[in-house]
Amino acid sequence: MHWILLSARILLGLIFFVFGLNGFITFIPVPEFHPFMQMLVDSGFIYVVKALEVIGGFLLLFNVRVVLALLLLGPIVVNIMLYHLFFDPRNWPISVINLLLFVLVLIPYRQSFYRLWDEKKQNIT
């Protein structure tokens, strides 16, 4: 099981690091954009998302602050899944693989997220 989790972390880190960098330096050809994606590119917002992908991917690749990487990449993984579900179904299998890898990486770190759901520990008073 250790090798599966290690492989999932490295693969997820590679995916986000490489495709995040591809947002800045296009070395992998990108298909024609869906109008929604074109809006993100035209507004420049995509650079914020790609920067978070590069940072999160780097942290996962080098096993540094993995919980922080999961916090950064979690919303991106969900949005990728929803984007392919509702707007552009061309690459939906990749989004499912991405989600499965994310869940596999999340499993050993799930205890770090329990505090978010514990109301007793939320009170700062």
Side-chain angles (χ1 to χ4, degrees):
M1 185 69 170
H2 173 70
W3 290 104
I4 294 172
L5 298 175
L6 177 67
S7 300
R9 181 181 54 79
I10 291 172
L11 187 57
L12 188 66
L14 270 173
I15 288 169
F16 277 109
F17 189 73
V18 169
F19 285 100
L21 280 179
N22 195 53
F24 296 104
I25 309 163
T26 307
F27 48 87
I28 300 172
V30 181
E32 183 180 332
F33 290 135
H34 182 275
F36 177 77
M37 186 61 75
Q38 189 63 49
M39 286 179 4
L40 292 177
V41 171
D42 292 343
S43 69
F45 184 71
I46 196 72
Y47 296 116
V48 174
V49 175
K50 293 300 178 181
L52 291 172
E53 287 181 12
V54 169
I55 293 167
F58 179 86
L59 293 174
L60 287 177
L61 274 175
F62 292 101
N63 201 23
V64 179
R65 306 275 188 215
V66 175
V67 174
L68 175 61
L70 292 172
L71 281 172
L72 292 174
L73 296 176
I76 296 172
V77 169
V78 170
N79 278 294
I80 290 170
M81 187 75 188
L82 292 174
Y83 171 78
H84 287 294
L85 182 66
F86 291 115
F87 293 126
D88 192 6
R90 287 182 288 186
N91 293 322
W92 71 267
I94 295 171
S95 65
V96 172
I97 292 169
N98 203 13
L99 180 65
L100 291 175
L101 287 171
F102 182 82
V103 170
L104 278 174
V105 174
L106 182 67
I107 288 171
Y109 296 97
R110 67 186 177 275
Q111 294 173 358
S112 301
F113 296 96
Y114 286 159
R115 186 165 185 214
L116 295 172
W117 305 110
D118 189 4
E119 290 184 28
K120 294 175 189 170
K121 294 182 181 179
Q122 293 292 328
N123 297 332
I124 300 176
T125 59

Short mmCIF file of all heavy atoms in Angstrom, two decimals, residues 28-34 88 90-91:
data_model
loop_
_atom_site.label_atom_id
_atom_site.label_comp_id
_atom_site.label_asym_id
_atom_site.label_seq_id
_atom_site.Cartn_x
_atom_site.Cartn_y
_atom_site.Cartn_z
N ILE A 28 3.59 21.61 -24.32
CA ILE A 28 2.66 20.56 -24.71
C ILE A 28 1.52 21.25 -25.46
O ILE A 28 0.93 22.19 -24.94
CB ILE A 28 2.09 19.82 -23.47
CG1 ILE A 28 3.22 19.18 -22.67
CG2 ILE A 28 1.07 18.77 -23.90
CD1 ILE A 28 2.78 18.60 -21.34
N PRO A 29 1.23 20.81 -26.68
CA PRO A 29 0.15 21.47 -27.44
C PRO A 29 -1.18 21.43 -26.69
O PRO A 29 -1.53 20.41 -26.09
CB PRO A 29 0.06 20.67 -28.73
CG PRO A 29 1.30 19.86 -28.80
CD PRO A 29 1.83 19.72 -27.41
N VAL A 30 -1.88 22.53 -26.72
CA VAL A 30 -3.17 22.65 -26.03
C VAL A 30 -4.28 22.66 -27.07
O VAL A 30 -4.18 23.38 -28.07
CB VAL A 30 -3.20 23.96 -25.21
CG1 VAL A 30 -4.51 24.10 -24.46
CG2 VAL A 30 -2.02 24.03 -24.25
N PRO A 31 -5.35 21.86 -26.86
CA PRO A 31 -6.44 21.88 -27.83
C PRO A 31 -7.16 23.23 -27.81
O PRO A 31 -6.95 24.04 -26.92
CB PRO A 31 -7.37 20.76 -27.36
CG PRO A 31 -7.05 20.56 -25.92
CD PRO A 31 -5.60 20.94 -25.76
N GLU A 32 -8.01 23.43 -28.80
CA GLU A 32 -8.77 24.68 -28.87
C GLU A 32 -9.56 24.86 -27.57
O GLU A 32 -10.17 23.93 -27.06
CB GLU A 32 -9.73 24.62 -30.06
CG GLU A 32 -10.51 25.89 -30.25
CD GLU A 32 -11.47 25.79 -31.43
OE1 GLU A 32 -11.17 25.03 -32.37
OE2 GLU A 32 -12.50 26.45 -31.38
N PHE A 33 -9.52 26.09 -27.05
CA PHE A 33 -10.16 26.37 -25.78
C PHE A 33 -11.67 26.40 -25.90
O PHE A 33 -12.22 26.88 -26.89
CB PHE A 33 -9.71 27.73 -25.23
CG PHE A 33 -8.29 27.79 -24.77
CD1 PHE A 33 -7.49 28.86 -25.11
CD2 PHE A 33 -7.75 26.78 -24.00
CE1 PHE A 33 -6.19 28.93 -24.69
CE2 PHE A 33 -6.44 26.85 -23.57
CZ PHE A 33 -5.66 27.91 -23.92
N HIS A 34 -12.33 25.93 -24.88
CA HIS A 34 -13.76 26.13 -24.71
C HIS A 34 -13.95 27.62 -24.36
O HIS A 34 -13.06 28.23 -23.78
CB HIS A 34 -14.24 25.24 -23.56
CG HIS A 34 -15.71 25.31 -23.31
ND1 HIS A 34 -16.27 26.27 -22.52
CD2 HIS A 34 -16.72 24.54 -23.76
CE1 HIS A 34 -17.57 26.10 -22.48
NE2 HIS A 34 -17.87 25.05 -23.22
N ASP A 88 -16.86 20.88 -20.93
CA ASP A 88 -16.01 20.33 -21.98
C ASP A 88 -15.69 18.86 -21.69
O ASP A 88 -14.67 18.56 -21.06
CB ASP A 88 -14.73 21.16 -22.07
CG ASP A 88 -13.93 20.86 -23.31
OD1 ASP A 88 -14.39 20.09 -24.15
OD2 ASP A 88 -12.81 21.41 -23.42
N ARG A 90 -14.46 16.54 -23.36
CA ARG A 90 -13.45 15.86 -24.18
C ARG A 90 -12.47 15.04 -23.37
O ARG A 90 -12.11 13.94 -23.76
CB ARG A 90 -12.67 16.89 -25.02
CG ARG A 90 -13.46 17.47 -26.16
CD ARG A 90 -12.61 18.41 -26.94
NE ARG A 90 -12.40 19.63 -26.16
CZ ARG A 90 -11.79 20.71 -26.60
NH1 ARG A 90 -11.29 20.72 -27.82
NH2 ARG A 90 -11.67 21.77 -25.85
N ASN A 91 -11.99 15.55 -22.26
CA ASN A 91 -10.97 14.86 -21.47
C ASN A 91 -11.47 14.43 -20.09
O ASN A 91 -10.72 14.42 -19.13
CB ASN A 91 -9.74 15.76 -21.31
CG ASN A 91 -9.04 16.00 -22.62
OD1 ASN A 91 -8.96 15.10 -23.45
ND2 ASN A 91 -8.57 17.20 -22.83
#
